[in-house]
Amino acid sequence: KEESATFTDMVIGGLGWFFVGYKINEETEKGEAYIQRENPFSIYADPESHKADFSDAKYIFRAKWTDKDELKSIYPEHAEEIDAQFAIYDSAEQENQIHDQELLWYKRDLQKVRMVECWYKERERQKKIILANGEEILPEEITPEMFFNGLIVGEKEFDATVVRCAVFFDTVLLEDIESPYQHGEFPLIPMTLFYYGIGGDEIPAGIVRDLKEPQREINKRRVQQLHILNTTGNGGGFIEDDAMTEKQFAEFERKGNV
């Protein structure tokens, strides 16, 4: 079902999105990977990304409309900030001052805010430990036996790309953590049908895009046909010289085809 829905998004609009995550059963303490379809209109990818799989994107946003109770249950440590921001939205001053910024973040009738996940990459300096056999490991992988046996011969530093996730709405930052996934990639996976990259203008496209120009031609032909019918419907008749006054003839000439 999730795959079919995402496939439909891809075929129609040219771009569908999966979220690939991992669920843990609290009773059994075991987990499994899962995928779910994401609304393509709720995903905002880096516009400077030029690859069809968005692997060169520096960030991808995922937006979701959420009510206050759900926000507070997920982030109880920010309950006061959440209440304060909702109070601002619902204040009397705001009732008559609906700005674009408020419409972007708040639905007054539903009492919901737009919560945003920002998955982004940043560079950070990391360290690796060099073992006697040439193997390189992370500092947290060192064991006491390695020290006792003299297996550690050196270390080196390098720049690594780390994926992080920041969650916020409006000006309220709810969390900013390192990605829980060890694969080092975004958990949002695109599906593209056609990908036109001309002069740096990369545009995902579905089958609907190729149907637009033929449809425009059909629409233009119909408009021209209706125009011809409308302009000839009042013309082609024979009128005696004194059958109309000058005003009547001018009106007939204006509306007809004389």
Side-chain angles (χ1 to χ4, degrees), residues 49-112:
S49 173
H50 301 299
K51 293 186 178 180
D53 61 356
F54 291 88
S55 59
D56 59 340
K58 294 183 178 179
Y59 60 84
I60 299 179
F61 290 88
R62 179 173 68 156
K64 173 187 175 183
W65 288 101
T66 312
D67 60 41
K68 181 167 62 175
D69 291 338
E70 183 177 358
L71 272 179
K72 292 171 66 174
S73 67
I74 299 174
Y75 302 102
E77 68 277 17
H78 294 285
E80 291 185 4
E81 294 177 80
I82 294 169
D83 285 334
Q85 191 63 40
F86 270 80
I88 292 173
Y89 290 141
D90 292 327
S91 65
E93 291 81 4
Q94 298 290 334
E95 280 290 343
N96 299 319
Q97 298 178 10
I98 303 297
H99 301 298
D100 291 341
Q101 185 75 0
E102 294 169 41
L103 296 175
L104 174 65
W105 294 106
Y106 189 55
K107 286 185 176 180
R108 188 182 302 276
D109 54 339
L110 298 178
Q111 290 284 293
K112 288 189 175 184

Side-chain angles (χ1 to χ4, degrees), residues 11 29-30 48 77 80 87 101 104-105 122 158 167 173 195 210 216 225 232 237 239:
V11 171
E29 296 185 352
K30 295 181 179 180
E48 295 300 319
E77 68 277 17
E80 291 185 4
Q101 185 75 0
L104 174 65
W105 294 106
E122 68 175 14
F158 64 99
V167 182
L173 179 62
Y195 201 76
D210 292 333
R216 287 194 180 104
Q225 290 170 354
T232 58
I239 304 171

Side-chain angles (χ1 to χ4, degrees), residues 160-173:
T161 299
V162 178
V163 177
R164 297 185 62 86
C165 178
V167 182
F168 63 92
F169 74 95
D170 206 333
T171 60
V172 180
L173 179 62

